[in-house]
Amino acid sequence: MGHAPEIIDVRPHDKSSSTSGSSDAASDIQSQIIRGLMAATNEKTLPTMILYDEHGLRLYDNITTKAPEYYLFGAEEQILQDHAGQIVDVMHQHTGGVVSGEVVLELGAGALRKTSHILHALTNLVPVAPPVVPITYYALDLEDRELKRTLIELRESAVGSMLVGKVEAQGMLGTYDAGLKFVEEGGLQQSSLANDALPLSLGSYKLDSTRLDSSTGSSFPDSSDTEITSPSTPGNSQTPLHLLFLGSSLGNFKRGEDAKFLRALPLEPGKDTLLLGLDHDNDRKDIELAYNDPRGHTRDFILNGLKAAGRALGDESMFAEQNWEYVNTYNESKRCHEAYYRCTHTHDINPPMASKPIQFLEGELVNMEISHKYSESDTYTLFTEANLRPIQRWTDNAGRYSLWLLERPPFTFPLLDSPSVEPGHTAKFGIPSIKDWSNMWTVWDLVTRRMIPPAMLFQKPIDLRHICLFYLGHIPTFLDIHLSRLFDEPHTEPQEFKRGIDPNVDDPTQCNHPHSVVPTKDDDWPSLHSILAFQIRVRERLMKVYSDIAEGKISLTRKVARVLFMTFEHEGFHIETLLYMLVQRAGTGTIPPPDFSPPHWESLAAQWQAAPKPDVATVEIGHSAVTLGINDIEAEDADPAKRCDFADHTFGWDNESPSRQAEVKAFRIEWRPVTNGDFYEFYRGAGQGRVEFPASWEDRNGETCVRTLYGPVPIKIAWDWPILTCYENLSTYASVKGGRIPTEPELRLFLDKFSSGYEGGANVGFRNWHPVPATTGGSKHGGKGHNGGVWEWTSTVFDRYDGFVPSTLYPGYSADFFDESHQVVIGGSYATIPRISERRSVRNWYQRNYPYCWSSARIAYDV
């Protein structure tokens, strides 16, 4: 039979135990049981852990093999049977293959039936066994004998023979917490690390630490405890860690605790992944049957937990089975399956470690397990709150269950409904927090310092904008100017980067708005070193403003708040501008986004092509009234009655106010924007000679490709993405198709009804670094979805309207572009920060023949 499997006992690392060993774990279970049973009637609980003793694990195996109603196991197994090879390929996109010494750790491994598909697929990544086994798989579970049994069965199986020399399978004995703590403390690191391990790189700005100054009564964070650091140097040589958390086990956590658990996982950007199984919010009958099969396998499993609970309290028969029955229900509003022991006879138990006898009343429910189900909105909310980014998703054939491959990205933007860093400030679109600035600067530095090679700094990726170096100086200059004006203080540096350009597309020598005069020779520009030093000084200046506000040295007025809002969103807009410039050089200069897993284009394209399309192409919207804009009146900043009243105030740009009503006649509109495939067929057919070749495409030796920040991809890959092209192209397309581009009020009405938003999975805020197919018009959730991650053109000309007042702080922001050449666009692209994309009053604008912006359109039709 060979030697016994190696098992690491990680129980000494359990956070819940002050010392080590199995006796302490038993004591902890005892205390959890007693604590749960001392609660009031119908509020009593037993820990889920009692279900998974050695016999319980065998009974659970019966559920997975003999109860087809328990669809979760079968659905997950089908995904792994069909796609395990693809999944492990995508896992290794960062590294381009297996890195010697990498670790695969499964949380709650169980019988390893499903896992064997992953292990088999991993062996295919190692064609020839090297001298040292390159991959170590650890099965983490609670029962020593069961862990040994399953590992021996794996070794003696057909898959086990394939693992030899390629994947070493070992056990890890303990709880999730214990195993993860072991990893965090470096327990998996070898004494000598592999030379070919990938380094880690980007660190974020450490601006999270805040405190309140009680002496001033201020509710604003003090930045005096914060530390501003530049991105760290590559050099972390830890090998990749791939976590598996299958079986929808995360659903056993309470809402909120699931995100907390995932957020604490020891995942590093740029190399580590998490494969997570999640059950969908399926039909109630299916869910209840899955957890209470007619043959009683689930009932036997649940009732065995009573023996385990009694054993933990010193008497296996303490919970006599004739006193209990198993009942279950699915709470649809909470999307939660609830499993209970129901007392059939009033009785007492008297555990020796309890302070008093415990009484159970006839009919009383004792909860021992919950299993949350996840809607699309639940899922994306979970991932965002857990600081995780979905790399790719696989769904079973029935569409009831998903496996998600996730990574810890260098940054994420929080949900706008997340608790504010500033107590008392409740507006989603109010004052940016220090954490908001930290995120923004991390994004900015990732793009400017790690995606632009030095040779490109003095180049113009597009002729209609400045060289790349300009934008590195423009952002801190804009912030510095407005802080100086606000506080009547001198500028930090000479203002050479004051304002960008938007020249006439047809005649780039003409620019109708004031802009900075910039050097014409490379040698006349400030050095990169001096610009970055200036940037740091301006950021420090801003942090001192926050500190002074917290300490009461600066009064936080609405005007101060407006400047903070304006300068923050200015950075948000410009990161997108810089990126749509850089995509023009992707593959010939621009470096792909570092520390984000590169897309696995082939498998993604297959999923996109197989995804269901709307049953009908359009939706009709009846005669309606729609509210446009907000009431953010800048003149009120000076009103003594309002200057300090802004805790729940929404700030906006001058073209967003005042709020106004628009009547919209009945119309039809396409569920989804025009795609690359749609426009390609038009360009090659009815549109020949009538539309221009889009700037988002590239002709590579006769093959049409679509530009991405990872380099051009064949148009077949991006066939279902929204087309990115100018208004004139799309207006012509719509006209030939018998429709038109919708007005701003029409599009606003459609998006209000059918946009899922950031929390519902919209492709904004760098969830991806490329568009994806739109999802609006699906069969679930009333057709709600997203547009694929693009701004959308409207037929509304960007111009003055009744009530418009130019900003006092930035008079030319909108007014300089009221030239009848610009169209309103609304929404937001994959690189738009959520507080811009989610504020429904935001209006952006581009010249109607501007080819580079990330804007698409959908077709509307008169009724």
Side-chain angles (χ1 to χ4, degrees):
M1 179 185 272
H3 64 278
E6 184 175 340
I7 294 179
I8 302 173
D9 188 349
V10 296
R11 289 174 296 180
H13 296 263
D14 200 325
K15 298 173 185 176
S16 58
S17 298
S18 56
T19 55
S20 63
S22 59
S23 61
D24 297 285
S27 174
D28 183 57
I29 296 264
Q30 277 184 3
S31 63
Q32 288 185 52
I33 292 172
I34 296 298
R35 188 165 56 248
L37 294 181
M38 296 299 285
T41 301
N42 283 324
E43 294 181 12
K44 293 183 175 69
T45 62
L46 282 169
T48 304
M49 197 179 297
I50 63 170
L51 302 176
Y52 296 95
D53 66 351
E54 183 178 354
H55 187 53
L57 288 169
R58 301 275 186 105
L59 292 171
Y60 178 74
D61 204 30
N62 287 341
I63 296 173
T64 63
T65 56
K66 300 176 182 178
E69 296 82 3
Y70 187 68
Y71 64 84
L72 291 80
F73 187 93
E76 194 167 68
E77 187 168 44
Q78 178 248 304
I79 295 171
L80 291 172
Q81 284 173 337
D82 294 348
H83 302 295
Q86 199 176 86
I87 289 170
V88 299
D89 281 348
V90 180
M91 272 184 188
H92 291 82
Q93 282 288 95
H94 276 306
T95 55
V98 171
V99 172
S100 181
E102 73 177 54
V103 168
V104 179
L105 170 60
E106 183 172 8
L107 307 179
L112 303 185
R113 269 177 52 204
K114 293 177 294 186
T115 312
S116 64
H117 298 294
I118 293 283
L119 297 177
H120 182 200
L122 285 169
T123 65
N124 293 331
L125 296 184
V126 187
V128 179
V132 177
V133 179
I135 304 169
T136 304
Y137 164 76
Y138 291 95
L140 173 68
D141 226 320
L142 291 167
E143 284 291 331
D144 188 28
R145 282 185 296 186
E146 191 64 12
L147 200 49
K148 288 176 181 174
R149 182 185 71 82
T150 55
L151 286 169
I152 290 171
E153 286 184 359
L154 173 68
R155 186 169 63 197
E156 295 176 350
S157 69
V159 171
S161 62
M162 300 175 190
L163 301 183
V164 175
K166 299 180 178 182
V167 180
E168 183 176 355
Q170 299 183 19
M172 193 177 285
L173 179 63
T175 63
Y176 299 153
D177 281 345
L180 294 170
K181 188 70 173 175
F182 177 74
V183 173
E184 284 179 43
E185 294 176 353
L188 295 178
Q189 292 183 32
Q190 302 296 321
S191 54
S192 61
L193 295 167
N195 291 329
D196 55 352
L198 288 184
L200 281 186
S201 39
L202 188 74
S204 64
Y205 280 81
K206 298 177 182 177
L207 301 170
D208 306 65
S209 175
T210 60
R211 63 177 173 82
L212 301 183
D213 188 336
S214 56
S215 63
T216 63
S218 169
S219 62
F220 211 73
D222 182 355
S223 63
S224 60
D225 290 340
T226 65
E227 176 188 355
I228 301 179
T229 60
S230 297
S232 62
T233 354
N236 187 325
S237 57
Q238 288 184 342
T239 48
L241 170 67
H242 302 292
L243 295 178
L244 311 180
F245 196 25
L246 307 178
S248 201
S249 298
L250 187 73
N252 299 141
F253 288 77
K254 294 179 181 178
R255 297 279 190 203
E257 292 182 4
D258 50 2
K260 183 179 179 182
F261 176 79
L262 295 179
R263 194 163 55 244
L265 293 176
L267 299 170
E268 295 288 343
K271 64 184 184 67
D272 300 343
T273 65
L274 166 67
L275 185 65
L276 178 69
L278 290 180
D279 194 16
H280 299 179
D281 55 336
N282 298 307
D283 182 77
R284 174 177 185 159
K285 290 186 293 185
D286 290 346
I287 291 173
E288 290 185 343
L289 189 61
Y291 290 88
N292 202 350
D293 64 280
R295 296 169 201 80
H297 295 297
T298 309
R299 182 185 65 249
D300 293 344
F301 168 67
I302 296 292
L303 291 178
N304 177 72
L306 291 173
K307 294 180 181 179
R311 196 181 313 122
L313 299 182
D315 180 2
E316 186 175 283
S317 62
M318 184 174 293
F319 297 90
E321 192 168 313
Q322 65 268 23
N323 290 333
W324 299 95
E325 62 182 353
Y326 167 55
V327 294
N328 70 313
T329 185
Y330 179 59
N331 187 323
E332 289 182 281
S333 63
K334 295 182 179 179
R335 295 174 300 289
C336 181
H337 177 266
E338 299 165 357
Y340 295 95
Y341 298 112
R342 182 162 62 193
C343 178
T344 57
H345 306 285
T346 298
H347 67 284
D348 293 354
I349 61 170
N350 195 10
M353 62 289 298
S355 59
K356 60 181 181 179
I358 299 170
Q359 183 181 61
F360 301 100
L361 301 178
E362 181 178 349
E364 181 175 358
L365 298 177
V366 178
N367 177 256
M368 102 297 295
E369 187 178 48
I370 57 172
S371 182
H372 284 104
K373 309 304 172 185
Y374 292 87
S375 66
E376 290 293 289
S377 181
D378 292 332
T379 302
Y380 283 100
T381 296
L382 170 72
F383 296 157
T384 305
E385 291 182 338
N387 191 23
L388 291 171
R389 172 187 170 266
I391 299 172
Q392 199 161 330
R393 174 189 194 175
W394 292 265
T395 301
D396 72 301
N397 293 337
R400 298 195 291 185
Y401 191 93
S402 289
L403 280 178
W404 294 84
L405 188 67
L406 303 139
E407 67 181 343
R408 181 88 68 215
F411 61 86
T412 53
F413 287 94
L415 298 172
L416 296 174
D417 287 328
S418 296
S420 173
V421 175
E422 293 79 31
H425 292 263
T426 58
K428 292 182 183 181
F429 310 107
I431 308 163
S433 69
I434 292 175
K435 179 62 177 173
D436 291 333
W437 284 103
S438 170
N439 279 338
M440 182 65 73
W441 291 341
T442 301
V443 179
W444 191 257
D445 292 343
L446 183 143
V447 172
T448 57
R449 301 196 201 181
R450 302 183 63 201
M451 293 178 64
I452 306 174
M456 271 184 63
L457 287 172
F458 295 95
Q459 296 175 6
K460 290 183 177 183
I462 61 178
D463 289 336
L464 300 175
R465 293 293 182 266
H466 286 305
I467 65 171
C468 295
L469 186 71
F470 171 86
Y471 295 92
L472 275 72
H474 173 61
I475 293 303
T477 298
F478 185 89
L479 174 57
D480 194 51
I481 287 172
H482 284 280
L483 291 179
S484 294
R485 289 176 181 172
L486 177 65
F487 300 116
D488 194 22
E489 296 172 350
H491 299 304
T492 302
E493 296 282 339
Q495 305 303 297
E496 298 159 307
F497 304 91
K498 186 174 180 180
R499 198 173 185 195
I501 54 171
D502 179 25
N504 187 288
V505 174
D506 295 323
D507 183 2
T509 64
Q510 300 300 311
C511 187
N512 297 326
H513 65 87
H515 58 277
S516 300
V517 177
V518 298
T520 56
K521 298 179 180 178
D522 292 356
D523 291 344
D524 293 336
W525 285 87
S527 69
L528 175 62
H529 175 80
S530 65
I531 291 173
L532 295 179
F534 166 57
Q535 177 194 76
I536 290 173
R537 287 195 293 276
V538 174
R539 290 177 179 181
E540 289 173 342
R541 182 183 185 187
L542 178 69
M543 290 297 96
K544 187 174 186 305
V545 170
Y546 276 75
S547 176
D548 287 348
I549 290 170
E551 295 174 8
K553 296 176 182 177
I554 293 176
S555 296
L556 181 56
T557 63
R558 200 153 102 169
K559 183 176 181 181
V560 172
R562 183 177 303 281
V563 169
L564 296 174
F565 141 79
M566 183 178 70
T567 51
F568 178 79
E569 290 200 358
H570 175 261
E571 290 205 23
F573 278 119
H574 269 290
I575 195 69
E576 185 171 343
T577 300
L578 185 55
L579 284 168
Y580 76 60
M581 293 165 53
L582 293 177
V583 79
Q584 295 294 316
R585 289 292 309 279
T588 60
T590 301
I591 300 167
D595 292 341
F596 285 81
S597 183
H600 192 270
W601 294 119
E602 183 180 349
S603 61
L604 284 169
Q607 291 180 350
W608 293 333
Q609 289 162 14
K613 305 296 189 291
D615 291 335
V616 292
T618 63
V619 59
E620 183 171 329
I621 298 178
H623 182 276
S624 307
V626 62
T627 301
L628 301 175
I630 54 175
N631 287 314
D632 171 40
I633 311 304
E634 189 176 334
E636 294 178 354
D637 293 359
D639 184 341
K642 296 183 178 180
R643 64 188 301 271
C644 293
D645 180 19
F646 54 88
D648 59 352
H649 184 76
T650 293
F651 290 97
W653 296 88
D654 57 8
N655 64 64
E656 297 178 50
S657 291
S659 175
R660 52 211 183 276
Q661 291 285 312
E663 291 290 323
V664 179
K665 295 180 179 179
F667 67 104
R668 282 190 302 118
I669 189 167
E670 298 208 346
W671 276 114
R672 298 180 179 180
V674 179
T675 66
N676 282 307
D678 295 332
F679 197 80
Y680 179 78
E681 291 176 345
F682 179 73
Y683 177 79
R684 296 288 299 271
Q688 279 193 30
R690 306 176 71 173
V691 292
E692 299 292 328
F693 188 83
S696 63
W697 294 356
E698 181 178 340
D699 187 313
R700 293 174 71 87
N701 301 318
E703 180 186 18
T704 300
C705 293
V706 175
R707 299 179 191 273
T708 82
L709 288 162
Y710 297 93
V713 299
I715 196 168
K716 285 296 182 184
I717 298 289
W719 193 259
D720 294 312
W721 296 0
I723 174 71
L724 303 177
T725 191
C726 65
Y727 176 87
E728 289 184 342
N729 269 356
L730 287 163
S731 181
T732 300
Y733 174 92
S735 177
V736 172
K737 296 291 183 180
R740 56 182 174 77
I741 305 299
T743 65
E744 180 185 3
E746 287 174 333
L747 183 56
R748 181 71 270 158
L749 190 61
F750 173 85
L751 294 176
D752 285 350
K753 286 178 177 291
F754 298 112
S755 177
S756 59
Y758 183 52
E759 70 282 358
N763 186 28
V764 297
F766 300 92
R767 278 211 168 107
N768 296 286
W769 289 76
H770 54 81
V772 297
T775 61
T776 39
S779 59
K780 288 187 174 182
H781 312 298
K784 278 194 170 186
H786 60 75
N787 72 359
V790 293
W791 293 90
E792 293 193 46
W793 289 106
T794 76
S795 59
T796 300
V797 175
F798 187 63
D799 207 346
R800 294 180 183 274
Y801 52 84
D802 288 344
F804 171 80
V805 178
S807 168
T808 303
L809 292 173
Y810 194 170
Y813 175 75
S814 300
D816 283 353
F817 303 94
F818 292 159
D819 56 8
E820 299 187 352
S821 297
H822 293 74
Q823 301 294 132
V824 172
V825 299
I826 62 177
S829 82
Y830 60 88
T832 305
I833 63 172
R835 66 178 284 148
I836 292 177
S837 67
E838 296 301 286
R839 192 169 70 248
R840 61 181 298 281
S841 56
V842 168
R843 310 168 80 225
N844 203 353
W845 63 94
Y846 294 105
Q847 292 179 61
R848 61 181 62 93
N849 57 347
Y850 187 62
Y852 300 110
C853 57
W854 288 342
S855 297
S856 189
R858 65 186 78 226
I859 304 178
Y861 305 88
D862 294 329
V863 174

